Amino acid sequence: RIAAEAPPPGTNPLANDLASKPAAKSFRELPLSRPTLQGLEEGGYKTMKDIQRACIPHILAGRDLLGAAKTGSGKTLAFLIPVMERLFRLKWSKLDGLGGLVISPTRELAIQIFEVLRKVGKKHEMSAGLVIGGKDVGQEQERVTHMNILVCTPGRLLQHMDETYGFDACNLQVLVLDEADRILDLGFSATINSIVENLPKSRQTLLFSATLSKQVRDLARLSLKEPEYIAIHEAS
Ligand code: ADP
Ligand code: MG
């Protein structure tokens, strides 16, 4: 029975093998769960973009990662797929609480990520919520305590961490900082530091950015552990 269980992240031999030989071109060639593959197929996603091909095997293997590629290169699926996979492999359920957290600089970008998550995640049973400013915070409070994956803007997330009774991130498996350059440009550096202080140290952390400024590298040094560095320069 033990042998039939999924190996913990970081010890999946197939993922490690793919990371050393990044030859897979289609999502089907990756060791992804059936609900993820179905979601991708129904969403019309077949061939991986370069950033996805380069990043996903490393992330599936449990590594922290800094991924840089220009806007429009497909970074969203590069992190959403492995977040869903990690929770699926852990048999994450409602009772396990918050497992994945995606932080995005603006409401508009957070909404876009959430829409992609809804589309490719629709065959999964885990719950997902959107936590952005401009909506009634009280209404959000009830819901954020029940979600497995949250897509957030920094200010609103920190507000819930400080004020929402029952908001609990102690089980968090994966943190994603998306569009890190814009998060920093918008002045959220201190907010991100406070958020990260509230998160368990044992988590996996992924940082994505269109550009690699010194500020982004500094944030990477503070929030990532022995990360893979992936930069895609070509249009793809
Ligand atoms: P980024 O975050 O790097 O700016 P996005 O994740 O928003 O890029 O993706 C840009 C566009 O590419 C979106 O319209 C998305 O649907 C599309 N896209 C992403 N990955 C794929 C793929 N593997 N196959 C086809 N289209 C894709
Ligand atoms: Mg993006």
Side-chain angles (χ1 to χ4, degrees):
R1 180 169 182 276
I2 287 170
E5 285 181 5
T11 61
N12 183 327
L14 185 49
N16 279 318
D17 186 47
L18 285 164
S20 60
K21 286 183 293 174
K25 292 217 159 43
S26 74
F27 289 112
R28 289 227 149 260
E29 294 168 71
L30 293 179
L32 301 177
S33 65
R34 179 183 283 272
T36 295
L37 286 173
Q38 282 179 346
L40 287 166
E41 193 169 305
E42 290 183 19
Y45 302 109
K46 286 202 177 72
T47 310
M48 285 186 276
K49 300 258 199 180
D50 287 351
I51 187 74
Q52 295 158 2
R53 187 157 58 208
C55 292
I56 292 174
H58 287 299
I59 308 174
L60 289 177
R63 298 177 189 121
D64 282 9
L65 181 142
L66 168 56
K70 69 177 173 93
T71 301
S73 56
K75 295 189 288 296
T76 313
L77 284 177
F79 59 80
L80 284 183
I81 291 170
V83 168
M84 293 188 300
E85 286 304 293
R86 176 145 181 171
L87 300 187
F88 180 84
R89 287 177 187 180
L90 291 168
K91 302 187 164 63
W92 210 260
S93 77
K94 285 253 181 328
L95 297 174
D96 295 306
L98 186 63
L101 186 57
V102 178
I103 301 180
S104 166
T106 66
R107 298 175 56 194
E108 292 69 28
L109 287 166
I111 292 168
Q112 281 177 28
I113 295 166
F114 187 68
E115 293 301 324
V116 178
L117 178 58
R118 272 229 289 237
K119 187 160 66 168
V120 300
K122 73 175 182 189
K123 300 287 180 183
H124 279 285
E125 279 169 27
M126 51 195 98
S127 55
L130 187 60
V131 175
I132 55 181
K135 289 205 272 178
D136 178 52
V137 71
Q139 243 181 29
E140 254 177 24
Q141 281 183 323
E142 215 308 7
R143 292 191 309 117
V144 295
T145 56
H146 294 100
M147 294 299 173
N148 297 141
I149 301 176
L150 287 177
V151 181
C152 314
T153 49
R156 192 54 159 243
L157 172 61
L158 188 58
Q159 189 182 353
H160 282 295
M161 282 178 154
D162 288 342
E163 298 173 8
T164 299
Y165 178 77
F167 183 89
D168 185 356
C170 70
N171 244 353
L172 187 80
Q173 301 296 309
V174 196
L175 168 68
V176 181
L177 300 170
D178 188 32
E179 312 266 352
D181 46 359
R182 290 192 64 192
I183 288 179
L184 297 167
D185 288 346
L186 291 171
F188 285 123
S189 177
T191 307
I192 294 295
N193 289 339
S194 303
I195 290 168
V196 169
E197 273 175 27
N198 283 313
L199 300 176
K201 298 240 177 319
S202 59
R203 68 178 192 270
Q204 181 180 24
T205 307
L206 313 171
L207 194 153
F208 283 86
S209 190
T211 60
L212 278 180
S213 60
K214 174 168 185 309
Q215 262 197 315
V216 170
R217 290 176 198 277
D218 288 345
L219 178 61
R221 247 198 314 282
L222 284 176
S223 53
L224 305 176
K225 267 189 222 147
E226 300 173 35
E228 286 299 324
Y229 291 92
I230 304 286
I232 302 293
H233 299 291
E234 294 305 302
S236 61

